[in-house]
Amino acid sequence: MTIALSQFNEVRLDRVRREFGALNALRDVSLTIQRREFIALLGPSGCGKSTTLNCIAGLLPVTGGAIWLDKSRIDTMRPEERGFGMVFQNYALFPHLNVRQNIGFGLKMRGTPKAEIDRKVNEALSLVRLEGQENKLPGQLSGGQQQRVAIARAIVIEPPLVLMDEPLSNLDAKLRLEMRAEIRRIHNELGATTIYVTHDQDEALSLADRIVVLRDGVIRQVGTPKELYDAPAHLDVADFMGFRNKLKGKVVSVDNGRALLDVEGARISGVARESLSVGSTAYAAIRPDDLVLGEPGENALKVKVDTIEYRGREFVGTAHSEGGLDFVFRSHQPVELGSVVYLQADNQRVLVFAEPIKGRQ
Amino acid sequence: MEAVAPTTHIEHGPSLRQRLAARGFDAVTLLVVPAAIFSLLLFVYPFAFGFILSFEPKNGGWLANYQRFFSDSYLYDTIGNTLLLSIPVTLLNLLLAVPISFRVRLMRHQRLLTTILVLPITLGTVLVAEGLLNYLGPQGWFNRTLVTLGIIDQPLRLVHNYWGVFASLVITGFPFTFLLTLSYVTGIDPALEQAAATLGASAWQRFLHIYLPLLMPGFAITFCLSFVQAFSVFPSAVLLGEPAGTTRVISIAAYQAAFEEYDYSMASAVAMIMGFVQLAIVVLVLASRGLFYRGPASGAKG
Amino acid sequence: MIRDTTIGAKLWAVAVWSVVGFFIINLLAMIATVVTSSFATRWLGTWLPVGWTTRWYSSAWNEFQLWDILIVTFQVVGVVVLISGLLGVTAAYALARRDFPGKRILVLLFLLPLLIPPITFGIPLATVLYRTGLAGTFWGVVVANLVPTVPFVILVMIPFIEQIDPKIEAAARVFGANTFKLFIHVLLPLLLPGILAALLLVLVRTIAMFELTFLVAGPTSQTLVVALYYAVFAAGVRAVQSIDAMAVVYMATTLVWLVIALRFVNPTQIVTRAKQQPAH
């Protein structure tokens, strides 16, 4: 293995702003990425994750702040001077160049001698397991193969940083899982530093060392997959991490990191994730997996079952309460439609969040 | 991940260049400048120059050219002559083009037909006029065939009159109208017609209730473009027509003012009147388009 | 369209195809008349000429100085193709890739010379060119012909450029291509088919462009189609067959390029340029 990525210590985004075009604005995004890290930028569309990536790549100019690669400031450099590798959403392979020429493009632009280009391209081809396809045009390749060419093209120039913009979004479900493993394998084999943009929390959770959750151009939370999964800091992060039941209620009491809510007359207690004041509106967030059929009593709500779906090992149902709250729950046995049941959640698995501030969550 | 301490933070507002770039002005935008200057210099400027020049007649007040045009029947008749040629020809071309487009749409090998039809457009009006002079002449193959078939006794007089110009406008205009119509007709999702058929609409009802409303905007544009071409008929009106009589069209009046009387001011006035009449008809047709459906014609996919 | 099998529908189909057939027969017969006449020794009042000859071609060649006219024609066409390619492709690139205030007005400005017939703007244009002394010269003819061809290239190229994913250009940048290399290695190869098609159409249109050339050409700067007009206009001065021979030369010049162009473009493209930007 002679593809040796250039080394550095850290990439630092220092209060990066991008104000023009209201939709993709970034507001004071600060982030430090260590060598060999796999960072996922996660968020819904329009949250600024792709904008962040494009600012790092130099495809969009920043309008404030700075980006540093160790001691050198790079946000003023043109994209062709930065030397990062990038995998684009639709791969952006050059349709008129064959696989070998596509992969070798970056080296050719750098004036690398032909023999060396050939050698490095061969290595990249074997790294992404595309030997034998080198003379095909992109149009003759399957989606997964195109994806591999795009990755090979990005790493063959031995970039300090590999940028990936939703690289799996165009693949079917099965291929997506396969390529997800491939991306992590290549990252590990090369000891690369990767910034990976996605809107799919499964992808982020399974691939990344650290996840950065963005919303409306602001970083909401940064942490390891486990931290985010177990302890989302805000309601919108929790929503992204699969807390599909969000029960609106009033805070009855707050005590020692725990909060008690009044939800439609029922008492729900859970772990307080934000500072709450008694009497204010708050939300109890519960994953469908943690909401199961139970008895009347603590942390139980009376609901009417609307739908029930068989999901192989278990059932997933939807229901609504008298007050109009919607629920998604899990069940081991079938439940009759229209029946009235009690749904119950373990109070250790319920997270309580303050009401998000309107406009700027 | 640590939030970076603000000590290294460099405050700078967006530069002028960034602000311009955000509005879409950057080096790439500048590439449009040469063509824009070219267009201003050679299209807008001459037009404006001609417009002003038309109000600076050789003799008389500032409106003298227009007064002369509208008081001299030899001049103002050209508008009527031109309309009398261009409107019937355009309507005929469109009426022929629509059913034919619907047929050709079903063909698998349209290319041979479209290639043949593109011939008269490519060859141009001068060659068509030259060809028709001989072909439609009293001794030409057309009359000869009709006489042989016994349809007529005497050869028809088809050149050096209205019908010669009419024929030349059909020969060059029909392919143009047809190809435009065809591109509109093929742009409509066939599933719409199939849906109408399953709901019980007959072929005529399908045309009337599905195709016609969807195609109306396209037909209006086709009519305008074809009309504008026919209205500016020039070489064939001279060569095939009766340039001093029934086919004395407005282009001839403009040309004579410029290159026979060397009165560029008058010529510009005629050109302005010509442009105005065209514009008036185009606006009239496009405005009536507002009475019809104006959304996408391709259904949900659009 | 759903195929109908009733008698009425069949009769209707027959009627439609008859009209098409009638049109095509007349069109081809008209062209055949010109060709036949150009090879005829004497052709008066009969189906076919008395005898066949090629001498009209040599006489047309000498009488009309066809060699000089052909050279002028190709020089004009060549320069027009080159300049409209340069101005048109660059402008189309900017219009396809950037959104800026005033873009709609600019597009309308480029659309107008294609919608307004040449004779309408040709008269004021010729007036200006006569005042500046450009009319009658080679460059006057070139400049006049460029007025519709530059917008034509722009409007053909805009959709072509738009369908090239801007991410491909971004990728080239990220992988180290500067503007020049981007153009040479990525844009030019991708745009070449479109440029070729647009320029071939310009070529065919310029050869056949009568009005503008006619209004500004002088004796030494007229193209083949204008020379043909003058020949037909002054019919009687020369033998009909001689004029027909010239017409055949003109047809051959046009058709050669048409055949080449049709290898790269769909025939409907010759007409439907305005459809790319339907009137609003």
Side-chain angles (χ1 to χ4, degrees):
Chain A
M1 178 62 50
T2 51
I3 293 180
L5 306 189
S6 342
Q7 291 308 327
F8 66 101
N9 287 318
E10 60 178 35
V11 176
R12 207 169 76 227
L13 276 65
D14 179 9
R15 296 200 175 183
V16 169
R17 298 181 71 85
R18 180 167 167 81
E19 276 134 339
F20 298 124
L23 199 67
N24 295 324
L26 292 183
R27 293 175 240 192
D28 291 336
V29 169
S30 294
L31 183 67
T32 304
I33 295 142
Q34 306 293 339
R35 193 173 86 189
R36 301 205 162 190
E37 256 193 317
F38 197 119
I39 295 275
L41 302 182
L42 176 66
S45 60
C47 72
K49 55 190 192 300
S50 287
T51 309
T52 309
L53 199 75
N54 285 331
C55 285
I56 298 173
L59 296 171
L60 286 176
V62 303
T63 56
I67 303 174
W68 301 83
L69 182 68
D70 290 337
K71 292 268 157 49
S72 53
R73 185 169 169 184
I74 58 164
D75 61 279
T76 49
M77 289 159 87
R78 284 196 296 246
E80 62 263 33
E81 297 165 341
R82 299 190 190 191
F84 296 156
M86 186 157 176
V87 179
F88 291 81
Q89 191 171 6
N90 304 320
Y91 320 132
L93 299 180
F94 305 118
H96 59 300
L97 302 180
N98 66 25
V99 169
R100 174 171 286 282
Q101 291 164 326
N102 256 292
I103 297 175
F105 184 85
L107 296 171
K108 190 175 168 189
M109 291 302 115
R110 285 161 176 71
T112 312
K114 179 134 188 3
E116 204 184 330
I117 295 182
D118 283 346
R119 189 174 54 77
K120 286 189 172 168
V121 169
N122 285 339
E123 277 165 29
L125 279 166
S126 80
L127 183 71
V128 299
R129 298 174 180 160
L130 268 182
E131 296 102 329
Q133 313 286 336
E134 49 263 60
N135 293 322
K136 287 189 179 165
L137 289 172
Q140 299 167 304
L141 300 176
S142 70
Q145 288 173 323
Q146 292 186 18
Q147 172 74 81
R148 288 167 191 269
V149 176
I151 294 172
R153 184 176 66 172
I155 55 162
V156 80
I157 56 172
E158 304 180 337
L161 198 57
V162 180
L163 309 172
M164 299 197 178
D165 188 1
E166 309 217 20
L168 303 183
S169 57
N170 281 347
L171 300 178
D172 62 47
K174 186 167 167 287
L175 208 52
R176 204 177 303 164
L177 287 180
E178 189 186 314
M179 284 313 296
R180 193 196 274 182
E182 278 292 279
I183 286 175
R184 187 68 213 201
R185 173 182 68 83
I186 293 165
H187 171 87
N188 290 346
E189 270 185 38
L190 290 176
T193 311
T194 305
I195 304 181
Y196 185 102
V197 162
T198 180
H199 63 268
D200 179 342
Q201 75 273 26
D202 276 350
E203 242 171 73
L205 289 170
S206 64
L207 274 173
D209 298 321
R210 280 194 301 150
I211 298 175
V212 179
V213 180
L214 279 147
R215 193 181 174 98
D216 296 334
V218 175
I219 293 184
R220 297 290 282 163
Q221 192 174 5
V222 180
T224 63
K226 186 164 169 39
E227 282 165 8
L228 262 79
Y229 192 81
D230 291 340
H234 305 285
L235 185 62
D236 53 273
V237 181
D239 186 28
F240 230 80
M241 289 295 144
F243 287 80
R244 289 183 61 190
N245 297 296
K246 286 163 287 179
L247 315 178
K248 190 177 183 178
K250 283 257 179 303
V251 180
V252 177
S253 69
V254 185
D255 175 34
N256 199 17
R258 297 199 57 84
L260 185 65
L261 291 192
D262 177 333
V263 178
E264 292 181 356
R267 296 292 155 114
I268 304 286
S269 85
V271 180
R273 291 292 301 147
E274 288 176 291
S275 66
L276 301 163
S277 55
V278 173
S280 65
T281 304
Y283 287 85
I286 309 165
R287 284 204 168 86
D289 276 359
D290 297 326
L291 196 61
V292 292
L293 296 179
E295 301 300 320
E298 193 202 351
N299 272 15
L301 285 145
K302 190 177 157 190
V303 297
K304 193 170 175 185
V305 177
D306 294 323
T307 67
I308 192 89
E309 254 177 50
Y310 185 54
R311 289 278 174 86
R313 204 175 294 163
E314 58 189 11
F315 293 87
V316 171
T318 62
H320 69 275
S321 66
E322 267 174 26
L325 288 173
D326 289 318
F327 296 86
V328 184
F329 66 96
R330 188 176 57 110
S331 166
H332 285 295
Q333 66 266 19
V335 188
E336 208 163 307
L337 291 187
S339 60
V340 174
V341 297
Y342 284 88
L343 292 178
Q344 204 165 18
D346 181 346
N347 64 21
Q348 292 301 321
R349 310 287 287 172
V350 178
L351 302 183
V352 182
F353 296 96
E355 181 165 45
I357 299 153
K358 283 258 153 57
R360 183 165 175 171
Q361 299 186 334
Chain B
M1 154 75 43
E2 303 87 327
V4 175
T7 47
T8 52
H9 181 220
I10 296 156
E11 194 68 57
H12 66 91
S15 66
L16 177 68
R17 202 170 137 188
Q18 283 177 329
R19 267 180 283 152
L20 282 175
R23 300 199 64 194
F25 290 105
D26 62 6
V28 170
T29 320
L30 291 182
L31 289 176
V32 84
V33 170
I37 292 177
F38 170 85
S39 186
L40 285 175
L41 223 58
L42 289 166
F43 183 71
V44 177
Y45 170 71
F47 230 112
F49 180 85
F51 183 72
I52 294 168
L53 188 67
S54 73
F55 292 106
E56 292 169 356
K58 274 184 165 172
N59 355 291
W62 62 286
L63 272 177
N65 283 330
Y66 293 91
Q67 277 161 353
R68 189 183 141 208
F69 186 92
F70 287 106
S71 56
D72 182 351
S73 72
Y74 193 57
L75 287 172
Y76 69 70
D77 275 354
T78 58
I79 295 184
N81 287 343
T82 319
L83 288 177
L84 221 55
L85 257 175
S86 52
I87 290 184
V89 163
T90 310
L91 283 176
L92 177 72
N93 283 341
L94 196 59
L95 282 179
L96 290 179
V98 173
I100 294 174
S101 304
F102 273 89
R103 278 285 140 194
V104 170
R105 191 167 108 104
L106 303 172
M107 277 172 69
R108 224 163 295 153
H109 304 289
Q110 295 176 5
R111 191 155 173 134
L112 178 66
L113 181 66
T114 46
T115 304
I116 293 175
L117 287 180
V118 120
L119 274 180
I121 300 176
T122 337
L123 291 175
T125 44
V126 176
L127 187 106
V128 170
E130 146 74 0
L132 287 181
L133 264 180
N134 198 334
Y135 177 65
L136 294 181
Q139 295 294 329
W141 282 346
F142 186 79
N143 270 316
R144 207 161 257 287
T145 307
L146 291 186
V147 171
T148 308
L149 292 175
I151 298 169
I152 49 169
D153 299 329
Q154 288 295 311
L156 296 170
R157 210 168 102 69
L158 289 172
V159 292
H160 297 302
N161 63 7
Y162 178 86
W163 294 107
V165 185
F166 193 94
S168 85
L169 285 177
V170 172
I171 292 254
T172 50
F174 170 72
F176 179 84
T177 314
F178 166 76
L179 291 175
L180 263 180
T181 313
L182 182 65
S183 69
Y184 281 111
V185 169
T186 47
I188 290 188
D189 186 356
L192 294 177
E193 188 191 15
Q194 288 158 5
T198 61
L199 296 170
S202 69
W204 173 244
Q205 285 172 320
R206 293 196 296 268
F207 175 77
L208 202 65
H209 296 293
I210 307 297
Y211 278 113
L212 200 60
L214 291 175
L215 285 172
M216 220 49 214
F219 289 167
I221 291 172
T222 307
F223 179 89
C224 291
L225 291 176
S226 310
F227 165 76
V228 160
Q229 293 227 330
F231 191 82
S232 64
V233 55
F234 180 58
S236 55
V238 176
L239 301 178
L240 262 179
E242 206 185 339
T246 50
T247 72
R248 189 179 141 83
V249 291
I250 193 160
S251 318
I252 296 181
Y255 173 76
Q256 284 177 342
F259 297 100
E260 287 174 14
E261 299 168 22
Y262 297 102
D263 185 347
Y264 291 114
S265 171
M266 185 65 201
S268 297
V270 180
M272 292 304 137
I273 293 168
M274 183 175 172
F276 179 80
V277 175
Q278 278 169 6
L279 193 71
I281 302 233
V282 167
V283 167
L284 210 69
V285 171
L286 292 184
S288 65
R289 195 172 65 128
L291 304 175
F292 298 96
Y293 169 78
R294 288 181 70 178
S298 51
K301 274 185 283 178
Chain C
M1 189 143 156
I2 295 158
R3 282 191 192 266
D4 227 327
T5 45
T6 59
I7 303 273
K10 279 183 182 157
L11 280 177
W12 176 244
V14 169
V16 167
W17 287 122
S18 307
V19 172
V20 175
F22 180 74
F23 184 88
I24 289 177
I25 286 172
N26 279 294
L27 171 63
L28 297 179
M30 177 203 89
I31 293 172
T33 303
V34 176
V35 177
T36 310
S37 166
S38 75
F39 288 106
T41 48
R42 215 174 83 88
W43 190 17
L44 276 173
T46 48
W47 278 99
L48 285 174
V50 180
W52 304 94
T53 175
T54 53
R55 76 184 154 92
W56 299 114
Y57 284 87
S58 54
S59 77
W61 195 265
N62 297 325
E63 281 174 40
F64 298 114
Q65 294 160 321
L66 279 189
W67 182 242
D68 296 338
I69 293 173
L70 273 174
I71 287 184
V72 170
T73 306
F74 284 119
Q75 280 171 339
V76 167
V77 169
V79 176
V80 165
V81 163
L82 205 70
I83 298 181
S84 49
L86 276 176
L87 288 179
V89 173
T90 48
Y93 184 78
L95 290 171
R97 283 287 188 250
R98 290 289 183 274
D99 247 325
F100 50 89
K103 179 172 153 179
R104 287 177 71 97
I105 294 176
L106 211 54
V107 170
L108 185 71
L109 180 70
F110 289 132
L111 196 60
L112 278 178
L114 298 176
L115 297 179
I116 299 176
I119 201 98
T120 314
F121 66 79
I123 297 255
L125 177 66
T127 308
V128 169
L129 291 181
Y130 274 103
R131 300 236 165 168
T132 55
L134 262 178
T137 69
F138 173 80
W139 285 104
V141 173
V142 168
V143 157
N145 274 290
L146 282 173
V147 175
T149 57
V150 169
F152 180 82
V153 173
I154 293 178
L155 293 181
V156 170
M157 289 306 291
I158 284 179
F160 196 87
I161 295 170
E162 275 173 346
Q163 50 109 34
I164 292 174
D165 187 353
K167 284 224 177 85
I168 286 176
E169 289 171 44
R173 288 250 179 229
V174 167
F175 292 115
N178 58 28
T179 308
F180 178 73
K181 283 180 180 163
L182 171 76
F183 183 74
I184 293 296
H185 291 292
V186 179
L187 279 180
L188 197 61
L190 289 177
L191 291 180
L192 209 56
I195 295 177
L196 200 64
L199 293 187
L200 276 169
L201 291 177
V202 165
L203 195 151
V204 172
R205 290 164 64 94
T206 309
I207 294 179
M209 171 49 78
F210 168 73
E211 283 90 346
L212 290 174
T213 314
F214 175 67
L215 290 178
V216 300
T220 57
S221 57
Q222 56 179 259
T223 61
L224 195 49
V225 65
V226 174
L228 179 63
Y229 173 86
Y230 281 124
V232 182
F233 187 71
V237 180
R238 314 234 184 252
V240 177
Q241 292 96 320
S242 187
I243 299 168
D244 283 328
M246 183 180 182
V248 170
V249 171
Y250 166 77
M251 268 199 277
T253 337
T254 317
L255 292 184
V256 165
W257 289 107
L258 179 67
V259 167
I260 296 174
L262 287 175
R263 289 184 64 87
F264 298 95
V265 299
N266 191 321
T268 42
Q269 261 181 291
I270 296 175
V271 174
T272 51
R273 82 257 156 156
K275 225 200 130 217
Q276 311 288 2
Q277 294 283 332
H280 301 289

